[in-house]
Amino acid sequence: MRRFLIGLAAALGSALTLTNLTGCAAAEQPGTLQNNNPLGTYVNELRELPGVESATLGITGQQTDIYGLDVTLTDDITDDELSTVGAEAANFTTITSDAGLTAAQPMLKRGESSFEYFDNLEGDALTAQLSYWMHLQLDGIESVEMRGYTERITNLQSDSTTAPTPDPRYVAIELPDDADADTADSIVAQLRAVTDPGADSGQWDLVVPSAHFKGEFHDAKFPSVAEYGYLSTVASTFMPVDDLASAEVSFYPDNDVPLQIEVVSFDSETDDLSAEEADAAFQQSAIWEQLGPLMQDLADHVNYQVEVLGNPLSDGGNFKLDFTVSDCAFTGDSTWPESSAALGEIWQHAMKNSSAKCSPEVVPSP
């Protein structure tokens, strides 16, 4: 889908161009390219490398053709073979540029995992990132995606006065659907033990798609034990809720309030109510029952914000309540005065039960 869904007119023109370049129709199954043009020769040579199952050239673009290269790797590819394949794949944008063509970064695929982190990486630096990507693919992991934040396109103008640097590194790891908390914790501990060659900046996502649960960590480093602990706490708190639609945790280490929690729940008891009715009804919901334990678990360990999204309201909009705990002060949501006042009391009680080292204070809602 990603690179190959294009408009019919663009597809016909691109197919003709691809045929000219490779000597075979774009729709054909991968095979030996018959002509000796540099791009065709390059793709054929890639296909012959140990550890390569297939290499496919494609074209996308509505107005400008953008060439893409997908290389499927064998399951048993070795580190040395991967290094060689990665080094050759990294030449793709140079070869297309020399031919006067525009290209996206190539994609390496191994099972459900993918690697597109090539921009301004070469030699040992690229080999280290490739090895890291492969060794993150532990038994039980559904997929590992590694790429740059932005997919830079060749032949576009760049600032020649500064030395090129790699894009921020984005890594998304899909955890097994059936993993319980202990299994997930064990897998994450194993992931943390894999040696990371590092990146100047980046983001990590830990995802359980079937449970509609996601953790975002806005840092180049793999989440620390404490940072992952916040995600685990949120997961164990809200995942048992029957009416839970989704839960997302975002951690921004440089923010004053680094931990951001979003919970979406469509409780039948709060459906089609007015705003005034919803303020009272929310306090009878399943999500409400989990907020006290969450506050007690987080205590004064981290500043955090919680946003709860719910059913549509009869007088317009959807239920949306948020509150913040920062520097041992609770700030509620003035839109929902009853719920905010009650949450402030629950929070103060939770702080006492957690033996917080600060003096909890409820701040008037803005």
Side-chain angles (χ1 to χ4, degrees):
M1 301 283 287
R2 301 166 58 154
R3 289 197 172 106
F4 304 101
L5 289 181
I6 55 179
L8 180 58
L12 291 173
S14 298
L16 291 173
T17 305
L18 188 59
T19 301
N20 294 336
L21 284 166
T22 64
C24 60
E28 289 180 3
Q29 292 298 316
T32 301
L33 305 179
Q34 299 301 315
N35 64 336
N36 294 318
N37 72 73
L39 187 55
T41 301
Y42 165 75
V43 175
N44 278 333
E45 290 176 349
L46 260 177
R47 291 171 177 165
E48 298 301 318
L49 291 176
V52 173
E53 186 174 293
S54 66
T56 306
L57 191 66
I59 306 177
T60 61
Q62 292 295 331
Q63 297 180 351
T64 301
D65 287 343
I66 300 173
Y67 287 76
L69 174 69
D70 286 354
V71 180
T72 301
L73 309 172
T74 60
D75 290 339
D76 60 353
I77 190 171
T78 66
D79 278 335
D80 288 342
E81 291 169 345
L82 180 60
S83 177
T84 300
V85 174
E88 289 301 317
N91 293 327
F92 175 64
T93 53
T94 300
I95 291 173
T96 51
S97 178
D98 289 345
L101 305 172
T102 302
Q105 294 296 334
M107 177 192 291
L108 304 184
K109 297 188 290 187
R110 181 172 180 261
E112 297 299 318
S113 297
S114 62
F115 182 96
E116 297 176 86
Y117 190 47
F118 288 96
D119 198 45
N120 295 322
L121 282 171
E122 58 184 19
D124 292 343
L126 176 58
T127 293
Q129 297 292 344
L130 284 163
S131 178
Y132 187 43
W133 168 68
M134 189 164 75
H135 287 279
L136 287 173
Q137 298 170 46
L138 304 171
D139 289 341
I141 294 292
E142 297 294 327
S143 68
V144 178
E145 176 189 3
M146 185 180 291
R147 58 175 172 81
Y149 267 178
T150 57
E151 187 176 18
R152 300 180 185 178
I153 304 300
T154 59
N155 288 352
L156 298 182
Q157 289 186 344
S158 60
D159 185 355
S160 60
T161 63
T162 59
T165 58
D167 283 340
R169 185 184 66 184
Y170 172 79
V171 185
I173 297 179
E174 185 176 328
L175 300 174
D177 292 340
D178 57 353
D180 57 20
D182 290 340
T183 301
D185 291 350
S186 175
I187 290 174
V188 170
Q190 294 176 63
L191 291 169
R192 189 179 294 110
V194 181
T195 302
D196 183 357
D200 290 337
S201 58
Q203 176 180 324
W204 288 83
D205 284 2
L206 300 177
V207 186
V208 186
S210 66
H212 305 288
F213 187 83
K214 177 182 180 182
E216 292 183 358
F217 299 87
H218 294 260
D219 195 354
K221 296 179 293 185
F222 189 84
S224 68
V225 173
E227 291 167 356
Y228 173 73
Y230 302 139
L231 180 146
S232 184
T233 295
V234 173
S236 61
T237 299
F238 293 112
M239 295 294 275
V241 175
D242 290 337
D243 293 311
L244 182 71
S246 66
E248 184 171 313
V249 177
S250 300
F251 192 83
Y252 300 85
D254 297 328
N255 285 14
D256 291 337
V257 182
L259 181 60
Q260 310 278 328
I261 302 167
E262 180 187 270
V263 181
V264 181
S265 176
F266 299 111
D267 190 325
S268 58
E269 298 300 319
T270 60
D271 190 23
D272 198 31
L273 300 179
S274 67
E276 183 177 354
E277 292 170 331
D279 196 2
F282 176 56
Q283 298 173 46
Q284 308 301 318
S285 68
I287 292 296
W288 177 273
E289 296 298 323
Q290 303 302 316
L291 294 177
L294 176 69
M295 293 170 172
Q296 187 163 326
D297 287 338
L298 293 177
D300 57 351
H301 303 313
V302 63
N303 292 340
Y304 62 93
Q305 181 182 47
V306 177
E307 181 177 87
V308 180
L309 303 175
N311 296 82
L313 302 172
S314 60
D315 43 4
N318 281 61
F319 180 84
K320 177 183 176 182
L321 176 146
D322 65 75
F323 63 88
T324 302
V325 174
S326 179
D327 297 329
C328 212
F330 173 93
T331 305
D333 189 329
S334 59
T335 305
W336 313 101
E338 289 186 30
S339 295
S340 290
L343 282 171
E345 293 178 5
I346 292 172
W347 172 73
Q348 286 183 310
H349 184 70
M351 293 293 279
K352 292 177 182 178
N353 286 344
S354 66
S355 301
K357 298 180 179 62
C358 60
S359 299
E361 176 187 5
V362 176
V363 177
S365 301

